[in-house]
Amino acid sequence: MNSISLAQIEQYAFEKKEFILAEDALNKVAKSFTFLTDFSKDKIIYGINTGFGPMAQYRIETDKLNSLQYNLIRSHSSGIGRPLNEIYARSVMVARLNAFLQANSGISSGVIKQLVLFLNKGIVPEIFEHGSVGASGDLVQLSHLGLNLIGEGYVYENGVRKNTSEVLARHEIAPLQMELRDGLGLINGTSCMTGIAAINLVYAKRLVQWAIAASSMLNEVIEAFDDSFSEQLNAVKHHKGQQYVAKEMREFTQGSGMIRNREELFKDDTALHRIEFERKIQEYYSIRCVPQIIGPIVDTIQYAQEVVENELNSTNDNPIVSPEENNVFHGGNFHGDYISLEMDKVKIVLTKLSMLMERQLNFLMNSKLNGKFPPFLNAGTWGLNFGFQGVQFTATSTTAENQALSNSVYVHSIPNNNDNQDIVSMGTNSAVLAKQVLENSYQVMSIHIMAICQAVDLLDPEEKERLSPNAKSVYNQIRQHASFVKEDVPQSESIAAVYEYIKETPFKL
């Protein structure tokens, strides 16, 4: 069986790695197609010599079987909304290709070869975000993929929308000639929601690392105590994600002269005799509880990765062809509930992550809370200048949108298709909304990390020098895209530049 990982999806989608088709894999696909061709000659097989969905009760005459597959693709190419960008679209193609390489779908080798050509030639299918109900798979979105494979509709090349037939002619690629059940095989699966989900996870994992970095850096600039992310404290709570985040924070802050050791307070005789302490004994939750808040986010994303990789390496269409069993099995492997549920969960934890960043940002904005920095990190003249006051509004507004988008899609099934599809997954809707929440969260993170760098510049020179090497590295990276703010200048372009940088640059210690 052909197996693929999230890391490989990242290579094919982001790095445009060439897809090398193994000869034995193609042979298995051909064997499955040959079996189905012979098996269906004297039997009723759904989608080969019957109509589709509620129309499956009607037999199709032999001379119309080929037209049936083309009619299916064309009639279901009804998507609308924003088209997926190249990274997401390539992921969808790889997901569909790998599902076919399991050799349980009975499609022709021509489908495999055409998908590989599109990937390796940089031809990006026009796949719209809206259309799928997530069972029978991603019928609408994958129909648009099929439409492009047969040389119709529009594709993107180097970011430019072009007529598919013209692009194929220039590359000397013949339109796919569909056979047997190729049309149904192309569209009757979960590969659009799965492809989107895979890229969402790649970006989500990057965002988590930036969030850990920002949280660690914040602990430094406000001179927090180190025991909140100590090994001893976090070891007594048995969650892998929490312990991972604490470990990352310890590694990030290595070499810092700003983080305080709790022993300092224990040995402070002056403090012991005070009625009211000058400095906080414990930090606010958004600073002190970072391992406990980001920990479940890490665990949720990790489990989602397992589910998505299982789906990537599954046969997710109907019917299933089994030469070994000398049979064809009808069922519902196209149902997208696994992806739908995981994308809902990922969406929720990303919203919580944006909430954490927004609260940390608010702590920096409010001089009465942090007791260290001017209001709104204002380096200009108070009253005349505004510092990060306007920028905070954007972070708060965007976080609020995330909260509104976090309602479950998994439980929003609406019967359709003459009630043939009486309970569906809405998996692609879930993945697309998770994608929106992800983009919003990166925007909030961009503003927050800009604010942390502003706080760094407001430190005394001696304090700034005591920051950890990692904090200085993050500061230098962000300062390549956003400057210290003293005079009031528009910040939209700086936020956008930081957004692009952190989204496309995985943070590593």
Side-chain angles (χ1 to χ4, degrees):
M1 292 177 63
N2 216 63
S3 181
I4 198 168
S5 67
L6 190 65
Q8 289 171 296
I9 287 284
E10 190 171 359
Q11 291 177 330
Y12 291 125
F14 288 82
E15 301 167 21
K16 301 182 183 179
K17 178 183 176 182
E18 183 182 6
F19 197 100
I20 305 297
L21 194 59
E23 193 63 35
D24 62 334
L26 204 56
N27 290 338
K28 290 178 182 178
V29 170
K31 179 182 177 182
S32 175
F33 175 75
T34 299
F35 167 76
L36 183 60
T37 302
D38 294 336
F39 188 82
S40 62
K41 285 178 179 176
D42 58 353
K43 299 177 183 66
I44 299 296
I45 304 293
Y46 172 74
I48 293 179
N49 47 23
T50 74
F52 303 103
M55 298 296 168
Q57 302 307 113
Y58 296 92
R59 182 166 183 168
I60 308 301
E61 298 300 324
T62 303
D63 62 342
K64 299 291 193 301
L65 296 183
N66 194 247
S67 296
L68 175 68
Q69 302 299 316
Y70 283 90
N71 289 347
L72 179 66
I73 293 287
R74 290 166 180 152
S75 66
H76 284 64
S77 294
S78 56
I80 199 168
R82 295 184 301 181
L84 297 178
N85 69 25
E86 181 172 2
I87 290 172
Y88 279 93
R90 287 178 65 85
S91 180
V92 171
M93 284 196 287
V94 174
R96 200 75 202 116
L97 179 56
N98 200 64
F100 289 149
L101 291 175
Q102 307 308 309
N104 297 315
S105 300
I107 51 90
S108 70
S109 299
V111 175
I112 302 290
K113 294 175 181 176
Q114 193 79 331
L115 280 167
V116 171
L117 281 172
F118 267 56
L119 278 167
N120 292 343
K121 296 290 186 180
I123 304 170
V124 181
E126 184 172 67
I127 301 173
F128 298 97
E129 287 185 345
H130 292 162
S132 172
V133 297
S136 299
D138 297 315
L139 295 176
V140 170
Q141 279 91 345
L142 294 179
S143 286
H144 281 280
L145 171 59
L147 192 71
N148 292 161
L149 297 181
I150 64 174
E152 299 178 16
Y154 293 89
V155 293
Y156 291 83
E157 199 174 32
N158 299 317
V160 180
R161 188 175 190 250
K162 300 177 181 179
N163 188 288
T164 306
S165 60
E166 294 175 2
V167 173
L168 294 191
R170 185 159 25 85
H171 286 282
E172 298 183 341
I173 298 173
L176 172 67
Q177 299 297 310
M178 290 195 295
E179 303 182 63
L180 202 60
R181 60 155 293 184
D182 285 349
L184 179 63
L186 274 165
I187 76 172
N188 192 215
T190 63
S191 297
C192 184
M193 67 178 79
T194 305
I196 295 172
I199 301 303
N200 283 349
L201 291 180
V202 171
Y203 280 130
K205 288 159 75 76
R206 292 181 183 182
L207 183 63
V208 164
Q209 292 306 124
W210 279 107
I212 294 171
S215 299
S216 302
M217 205 167 168
L218 179 60
N219 270 265
E220 288 195 62
V221 297
I222 66 167
E223 300 176 86
F225 286 110
D226 63 354
D227 48 355
S228 69
F229 51 88
S230 66
E231 182 176 4
Q232 294 83 353
L233 180 125
N234 289 280
V236 299
K237 198 162 186 184
H238 300 169
H239 297 296
K240 291 181 180 179
Q242 175 179 334
Q243 293 173 7
Y244 169 81
V245 173
K247 177 176 176 290
E248 290 287 293
M249 293 182 73
R250 291 194 299 274
E251 291 183 2
F252 185 97
T253 55
Q254 278 186 1
S256 174
M258 295 288 281
I259 294 291
R260 291 190 294 161
N261 188 293
R262 182 67 65 172
E263 293 294 324
E264 296 174 19
L265 184 63
F266 291 158
K267 296 175 181 178
D268 189 343
D269 290 334
T270 304
L272 186 62
H273 293 92
R274 288 183 181 276
I275 299 300
E276 182 178 354
F277 304 113
E278 289 183 350
R279 304 186 68 171
K280 286 184 67 65
I281 302 303
Q282 295 189 115
E283 303 298 342
Y284 290 99
Y285 286 7
S286 62
I287 297 162
R288 189 186 354 147
C289 301
V290 170
Q292 293 84 358
I293 295 171
I294 300 184
I297 299 172
V298 169
D299 287 336
T300 298
I301 291 172
Q302 181 58 42
Y303 182 71
Q305 180 176 338
E306 293 179 24
V307 172
V308 168
E309 287 181 336
N310 282 340
E311 195 74 20
L312 282 169
N313 294 303
S314 298
T315 304
N316 48 65
D317 55 331
N318 177 58
I320 300 304
V321 175
S322 178
E324 295 76 16
E325 297 289 337
N326 193 39
N327 209 343
V328 172
F329 299 96
H330 294 69
N333 279 356
F334 50 65
H335 210 285
D337 265 4
Y338 273 105
I339 299 296
S340 183
L341 178 57
E342 292 312 307
M343 285 297 100
D344 270 8
K345 288 158 62 179
V346 166
K347 178 177 64 175
I348 290 169
V349 298
L350 290 176
T351 293
K352 190 60 175 281
L353 189 64
S354 68
M355 291 164 61
L356 175 64
M357 295 301 102
E358 190 276 335
R359 287 293 83 198
Q360 290 182 354
L361 174 66
N362 185 71
F363 176 83
L364 280 175
M365 297 295 102
N366 192 331
S367 59
K368 294 177 182 178
L369 294 181
N370 63 64
K372 183 170 184 175
F373 299 106
F376 305 108
L377 302 176
N378 189 348
T381 302
W382 294 10
L384 176 64
N385 299 114
F386 294 91
F388 270 55
Q389 182 174 325
V391 173
Q392 185 185 12
F393 292 135
T394 304
T396 303
S397 170
T398 307
T399 300
E401 181 173 289
N402 274 0
Q403 292 171 317
L405 290 173
S406 289
N407 291 320
S408 175
V409 178
Y410 170 72
V411 296
H412 279 184
S413 174
I414 300 176
N416 68 112
N417 197 229
N418 278 6
D419 280 328
N420 170 55
Q421 298 181 8
D422 57 350
I423 183 164
V424 295
S425 75
M426 298 296 179
T428 300
N429 283 358
S430 182
V432 167
L433 285 175
K435 175 174 174 284
Q436 182 62 53
V437 168
L438 182 65
E439 291 171 1
N440 288 352
S441 299
Y442 267 101
Q443 292 171 19
V444 176
M445 174 63 70
S446 303
I447 293 168
H448 181 41
I449 207 160
M450 286 169 62
I452 291 174
C453 291
Q454 178 82 358
V456 168
D457 280 324
L458 292 171
L459 293 173
D460 293 335
E462 184 271 336
E463 287 182 312
K464 191 172 180 179
E465 187 57 35
R466 287 163 49 206
L467 290 171
S468 69
N470 284 313
K472 292 174 182 176
S473 174
V474 169
Y475 170 85
N476 290 332
Q477 291 175 60
I478 300 305
R479 280 287 172 258
Q480 297 295 315
H481 305 280
S483 302
F484 174 64
V485 177
K486 185 173 182 180
E487 302 300 327
D488 292 320
V489 295
Q491 292 297 312
S492 293
E493 289 186 9
S494 293
I495 297 170
V498 172
Y499 166 86
E500 289 297 329
Y501 177 74
I502 65 173
K503 191 176 182 186
E504 302 305 329
T505 308
F507 176 82
K508 294 180 181 178
L509 291 173

